[in-house]
Amino acid sequence: MVEITLIGKPGCHLCDEARPIVERVVAGFPQATLTELSILDDPALESRWHDDIPVVLIDGRPHSAWRVDAAKLTDRIQATIAATT
């Protein structure tokens, strides 16, 4: 399984724009899971990512910040899956 993490916070307009893109892309991969985390719930996340949200991590590694490109996210997930099979 490939773990996709979306880090953001409520009321963040860029997070609100990124969420449906990430959800749509991840839905196309049965081998991927999506977890959404809020920087408001975790001081370590807030300290690390405050200026960069929304942030997308793939298996814990940063993929994108601020804006999400569906094609690039799709390509990266495909490459990650291929590397693990």
Side-chain angles (χ1 to χ4, degrees):
M1 289 298 272
V2 176
E3 183 179 332
I4 312 302
T5 306
L6 175 61
I7 301 171
K9 71 176 182 177
C12 164
H13 74 281
L14 291 177
C15 302
D16 292 341
E17 291 174 13
R19 185 176 301 105
I21 296 168
V22 174
E23 289 174 342
R24 185 176 66 249
V25 169
V26 172
F29 292 97
Q31 324 79 320
T33 61
L34 175 60
T35 302
E36 188 169 352
L37 302 174
S38 171
I39 64 170
L40 300 180
D41 297 333
D42 184 331
L45 286 177
E46 200 279 332
S47 176
R48 172 67 174 96
W49 300 112
H50 176 77
D51 293 330
D52 296 321
I53 61 171
V55 175
V56 177
L57 308 177
I58 299 177
D59 284 343
R61 292 182 302 276
H63 166 70
S64 63
W66 301 317
R67 303 266 183 217
V68 178
D69 180 295
K72 289 180 182 179
L73 181 58
T74 298
D75 291 346
R76 180 80 178 276
I77 293 172
Q78 286 174 335
T80 302
I81 290 169
T84 61
T85 58

